[in-house]
Amino acid sequence: MLLEIERFLKARAMAPTLFGRLVARDPRLVHDLRRGREPGPRMRARIAAFIKAAQ
């Protein structure tokens, strides 16, 4: 999941904090994922839906 997020951020030139705010109202989301946080099934679904909608 983190790899998919990183690709999305690079392709959109989007800041990780903005991504986190838009997806989960959590500007530290990507930072925490990079440090090993594992998203639950609901968060995974929200992230996937956000990325799919933006394409």
Side-chain angles (χ1 to χ4, degrees):
M1 171 114 314
L2 181 56
L3 183 57
E4 187 176 350
I5 293 169
E6 296 289 0
R7 286 181 182 149
F8 178 84
L9 293 176
K10 186 174 181 176
R12 301 283 187 212
M14 181 182 286
T17 53
L18 177 58
F19 179 86
R21 282 189 188 107
L22 294 174
V23 171
R25 295 186 201 153
D26 179 3
R28 295 183 50 89
L29 175 66
V30 176
H31 173 75
D32 291 346
L33 293 173
R34 287 174 176 164
R35 292 180 52 93
R37 175 178 163 189
E38 289 293 328
R42 287 177 35 202
M43 181 57 66
R44 285 182 175 273
R46 288 175 72 177
I47 292 168
F50 179 83
I51 290 173
K52 184 176 181 180
Q55 294 178 344

